[in-house]
């Protein structure tokens, strides 16, 4: 699995992912809060690649963790340190 995070604006983090066997689930945790399932912004569940975006609360820095899983329950995890706009 390949999972990459990048900034997508002042309060968003974009996750792009791919897996030859397909990606079946993507979830995120912001600032250590419970995991939540992300809606896909590109691709569909089960496709080999796709993208999701995570909204980050304003006002302070937050650690964003994202996980993508394939049908065999292999999981890729990546993190992003989101800084507020200056």
């Amino acid at each position: 699995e390949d999972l990459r995070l990048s900034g997508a604006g002042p309060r968003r983090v974009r996750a792009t992912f791919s897996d030859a066997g397909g990606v079946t689930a993507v979830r995120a945790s912001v600032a250590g809060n419970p995991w939540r399932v992300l809606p896909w912004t590109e691709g569909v569940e089960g496709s080999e690649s796709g993208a999701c975006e995570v909204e980050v609360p304003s006002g302070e820095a937050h650690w964003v963790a994202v996980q993508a899983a394939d049908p065999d329950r292999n999981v890729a995890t990546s993190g992003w340190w989101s800084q507020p706009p200056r």
Side-chain angles (χ1 to χ4, degrees):
E1 292 196 31
D2 182 35
L3 171 62
R4 298 173 191 264
L5 303 183
S6 61
R11 295 182 49 221
R12 298 189 81 71
V13 174
R14 179 178 169 80
T16 56
F17 41 85
S18 62
D19 184 274
V23 176
T24 56
V26 183
R27 66 185 191 161
S29 173
V30 177
N33 288 311
W35 292 97
R36 60 185 174 93
V37 175
L38 296 177
W40 293 50
T41 56
E42 292 178 22
V44 294
E45 184 178 323
S47 62
E48 289 185 8
S49 64
C52 295
E53 289 189 2
V54 181
E55 187 169 339
V56 181
S58 63
E60 56 188 66
H62 295 283
W63 181 252
V64 178
V66 177
Q67 292 185 328
D70 69 12
D72 296 322
R73 296 188 183 197
N74 296 309
V75 176
T77 304
S78 188
W80 183 268
W81 183 248
S82 177
Q83 294 283 351
R86 295 180 187 223

